[in-house]
Amino acid sequence: MLGTLSEAGGFPAALVGFFEKFIGVKSAPIHYQLEGKKRAVEIPGVLHASIHAVVGQEGGDAVISGHPLGLAPGIPLVVAQADEVTLTDYEWNWKFAGRTGGYSPFRYQSA
């Protein structure tokens, strides 16, 4: 599967190098919320994450343009800070807050 992502190009290909091994795929509902400059995602029983935008110069968004892991090429990433991230699945058991993250508009659709 990782070879397929690499061959596909774009954002998935950029991610391949960050994974040491492929451990599986599951089908699950994903719940996403946005409220102003806050974002949250939940996969029941697996993931809960919430972030908020970091205030930039003169009260605007702090953004990063042109970085290689952007979800939407050509659209700046808004710098954010994690309020809470909990991930428990396969061999992962993560819980943290205060780390840097980001968000940007994106849309994936089938070909």
Side-chain angles (χ1 to χ4, degrees), residues 61-79 103-104:
D61 290 335
V63 298
I64 301 172
S65 298
H67 75 91
L69 296 178
L71 292 174
I75 298 176
L77 181 80
V78 176
V79 179
Y103 62 82
S104 68

Side-chain angles (χ1 to χ4, degrees), residues 78-91:
V78 176
V79 179
Q81 184 176 39
D83 298 312
E84 174 188 10
V85 176
T86 303
L87 173 67
T88 306
D89 199 24
Y90 293 105
E91 55 201 49

Side-chain angles (χ1 to χ4, degrees), residues 1 12 18 21 24-25 40 45 58 70-72 77-78 93 95-96 105-106 109:
M1 176 102 183
F18 289 94
K21 64 181 179 178
V25 174
E58 299 179 15
L71 292 174
L77 181 80
V78 176
N93 189 13
K95 185 171 181 129
F96 59 85
F106 69 94
Q109 61 188 38

